[in-house]
Amino acid sequence: RRGVDEPRAAAADARGAGVVASPDAAAGEAFALEFEPPCGRVHTFEGTLRPSTGADVPLDATQFVLRGSTLRNTKLALGVVAYTGRDTRLVRNARETPSKLSELERIVNNMVFFILGCMVAMTSASCITYVIWFASAKKNLWYMCYRYNAGSVPELFRENCKSDENYSPGSTWPTFFILFNNFVPISLYVTIELINFVQARYVDEDLEMYDESQDTPVRARTSNMNADLGMIAHVFSDKTGTLTQNVMTFRMCAAGGVSYGGPDHPLSEMRAEIASTDCAARDLATIMGVCHTVVPEKNEQGEVEYRAESPDEEALVDGAAQLGLAFATRDPAGITLDAFDGERRYAVLAVLPFDSARKRMSTLVRTPDGVARLMCKGADNIVLGLAKEGDEGCAKAGGRDVLQKALADFATEGLRTLVLAQRDLTDDECAAFQKRWRAAETAAGKGVDRAKLLAEAAATVERDLEVVGATAIEDKLQDGAPDTIAELAKAGIKLWVLTGDKV
């Protein structure tokens, strides 16, 4: 079952908030829902909710729940069924169950089919040979009741042959096929299964694969895959969550030409600087605490816990709290930070979500001072490419060369890096962008490419950015991962790792 967390719904920035406040309010409302036709894409959705009164509400994957999903941290939800039966996304995305035969079994099966083919050929050749021979030798086969009426045939044979049935020579084909059945290696299957069973027992009793911390031994759930393990020559692996623990921790950052988090400049020094002066470090921490889709939630002990779509975002929000700008609340109107000088309220005007193509996320907010500001975070090559030309775009970060050196140092330590930037907009620029962004969000109809329209709208504000600094997050390797990689190398297995980290 696929769980749907509250952060995804909250990340929709309350675009549908206020349309229906309660089930009773929905009784007198009329709605029209326009959305894309049935397809097999389970990670995207495009639609528009058109109420009888009020503005249109854009719908995307954050409001779309797949069949069989579970809503958590949700007391009440009003919805409408978009697809049913064979038109549901899961059914459209379904594929045939792949074969679970091992490579050895496939080879043996192909050998058996080849042997059966040879048997058919041999049987047919034998049958044809027999027919040819029978045509020439039939006159001498009176003792088999062929031409038994000849005068030289004893009377006893003729009497017995009168009650016998004669078969055509072609009917001997099944006879030859049965005679050749010993060519099929039926016992080979039994031998292979016995070997696989014994090998599976060896795996179950292997103490080197016993996990003492969880008291869990290895279990070979299927025995027919043992031979495939010995054929592996390449391993293609993801890094995050596979080689690493997927537990992100904020470790270091760079702002104003200084790298914090090391022995020379600890994070406590940065925290003190943020509390005393309005500097690049404060701008960096503010972006960390505002530009995200995290939802705060209080547990039974009254402590605030963060619910995030990704552990990276949670680590950045935790880092902002360590630096003195704690993310406190989120509501449809904006975000509140607990700072040194009291609460700071940021009105969220638009959220430009992260995706694999953009490689960045931006949030348009109105600061407590009333300034419309775009806050952006993303991959270094993307954000630096959107910055102002020359050193002006990286002045707050201490210069482009200084920032690049800090990023290289972070990458050498094996840390995950992000570059943070911002840009102040005039009220006219902000109003124009919101209008264009809203039109792109609610665009619908045949031939309308909403993703392209959103990208074009985002490009109007995600430019001439002022880079503030960079962050570095640690994702520790799994226990024993280096030793495992070394053992794979000894076995001649080549390991390929897919990662988006800077290397």
Side-chain angles (χ1 to χ4, degrees):
R1 302 176 68 183
R2 181 185 177 209
V4 179
D5 254 331
E6 186 180 2
R8 294 185 59 203
D13 63 44
R15 284 170 292 184
V19 176
V20 176
S22 66
D24 294 334
E29 289 287 342
F31 300 92
L33 182 61
E34 185 177 352
F35 53 91
E36 57 190 346
C39 61
R41 297 188 297 271
V42 297
H43 299 296
T44 62
F45 178 77
E46 293 183 2
T48 303
L49 181 65
R50 307 188 189 279
S52 57
T53 58
D56 293 345
V57 180
L59 303 177
D60 54 28
T62 57
Q63 294 96 5
F64 186 63
V65 182
L66 294 175
R67 187 185 70 177
S69 300
T70 300
L71 283 175
R72 298 185 297 179
N73 307 321
T74 303
K75 296 180 180 180
L76 178 66
L78 296 178
V80 60
V81 177
Y83 307 105
T84 60
R86 296 182 179 274
D87 290 336
T88 58
R89 294 291 177 96
L90 292 181
V91 175
R92 288 289 184 121
N93 192 56
R95 302 176 181 176
E96 294 184 2
T97 304
S99 173
K100 294 186 178 180
L101 290 176
S102 66
E103 189 64 24
L104 180 61
E105 288 177 321
R106 291 191 181 92
I107 293 175
V108 172
N109 288 342
N110 291 335
M111 290 174 56
V112 171
F113 288 138
F114 177 75
I115 292 173
L116 286 174
C118 293
M119 283 181 55
V120 171
M122 293 174 59
T123 301
S124 300
S126 299
C127 184
I128 293 172
T129 304
Y130 174 76
V131 170
I132 296 173
W133 172 83
F134 180 79
S136 60
K138 184 177 181 181
K139 59 183 178 180
N140 299 321
L141 299 179
W142 53 267
Y143 53 88
M144 296 179 63
C145 295
Y146 293 105
R147 297 185 179 180
Y148 57 87
N149 291 321
S152 58
V153 177
E155 183 65 26
L156 177 62
F157 278 96
R158 281 184 284 179
E159 292 178 358
N160 291 333
C161 287
K162 288 180 181 180
S163 60
D164 197 10
E165 295 182 1
N166 292 328
Y167 298 96
S168 64
S171 62
T172 57
W173 197 96
T175 303
F176 283 112
F177 189 81
I178 294 173
L179 291 175
F180 293 141
N181 75 86
N182 289 330
F183 283 106
V184 180
I186 300 298
S187 61
L188 180 60
Y189 285 97
V190 179
T191 304
I192 291 175
E193 289 301 323
L194 288 176
I195 294 173
N196 288 339
F197 175 77
V198 174
Q199 289 178 342
R201 291 294 300 175
Y202 274 117
V203 173
D204 290 343
E205 302 298 331
D206 193 342
L207 292 178
E208 294 186 3
M209 290 192 283
Y210 171 74
D211 186 0
E212 295 182 1
S213 61
Q214 300 183 6
D215 189 25
T216 304
V218 66
R219 285 287 178 263
R221 302 297 182 183
T222 176
S223 61
N224 64 342
M225 304 302 292
N226 297 332
D228 284 353
L229 295 177
M231 297 181 181
I232 295 175
H234 295 81
V235 174
F236 296 88
S237 172
D238 183 22
K239 177 176 175 285
T240 303
T242 305
L243 296 180
T244 64
Q245 300 177 14
N246 203 24
V247 179
M248 310 296 182
T249 306
F250 178 74
R251 289 298 182 197
M252 304 178 72
C253 63
V258 180
S259 294
Y260 297 95
D264 297 334
H265 301 281
L267 291 177
S268 58
E269 177 184 330
M270 182 178 180
R271 179 185 174 94
E273 186 177 347
I274 292 174
S276 60
T277 60
D278 186 5
C279 55
R282 178 180 290 186
D283 290 339
L284 180 75
T286 301
I287 297 175
M288 292 168 54
V290 174
C291 185
H292 56 75
T293 58
V294 179
V295 174
E297 187 178 90
K298 288 187 177 181
N299 55 23
E300 296 178 355
Q301 290 75 29
E303 300 174 347
V304 176
E305 294 181 349
Y306 296 134
R307 305 293 182 183
E309 290 186 42
S310 67
D312 297 78
E313 285 203 323
E314 184 177 352
L316 289 177
V317 174
D318 284 333
Q322 294 178 35
L323 299 175
L325 297 177
F327 173 48
T329 61
R330 176 191 290 275
D331 56 48
I335 289 175
T336 303
L337 299 182
D338 284 337
F340 295 98
D341 53 355
E343 289 188 351
R344 293 186 179 182
R345 180 69 177 176
Y346 293 85
V348 177
L349 305 179
V351 176
L352 286 62
F354 174 90
D355 59 46
S356 58
R358 286 167 39 81
K359 298 182 181 178
R360 63 187 181 277
M361 174 197 174
S362 299
T363 303
L364 180 62
V365 301
R366 192 168 294 279
T367 66
D369 300 332
V371 178
R373 178 170 295 170
L374 180 77
M375 300 181 179
C376 179
K377 64 181 180 182
D380 59 317
N381 60 323
I382 300 297
V383 177
L384 291 176
L386 298 174
K388 296 178 181 178
E389 295 293 336
D391 290 336
E392 183 182 359
C394 298
K396 279 197 172 185
R400 189 177 294 264
D401 294 338
V402 174
L403 182 61
Q404 291 283 16
K405 183 180 183 303
L407 289 170
D409 293 339
F410 295 158
T412 303
E413 296 292 330
L415 303 177
R416 300 163 63 91
T417 59
L418 285 175
V419 172
L420 280 61
Q422 63 185 19
R423 180 193 172 200
D424 291 342
L425 278 67
T426 65
D427 290 340
D428 292 339
E429 287 177 327
C430 181
F433 166 74
Q434 285 186 285
K435 181 179 180 181
R436 183 169 182 177
W437 182 257
R438 185 75 177 184
E441 281 187 317
T442 56
K446 187 176 182 181
V448 175
D449 190 346
R450 178 182 291 186
K452 182 179 180 181
L453 294 176
L454 290 173
E456 292 174 350
T460 61
V461 291
E462 289 180 332
R463 57 181 177 82
D464 298 332
L465 300 179
E466 184 180 17
V467 177
V468 175
T471 60
I473 298 173
E474 180 184 26
D475 187 11
K476 291 184 178 180
L477 289 174
Q478 297 273 12
D479 295 335
D483 296 335
T484 302
I485 295 174
E487 293 297 329
L488 292 175
K490 290 181 181 178
I493 298 176
K494 299 175 179 62
L495 178 64
W496 292 77
V497 179
L498 177 66
T499 178
D501 297 348
K502 186 178 180 64
V503 295

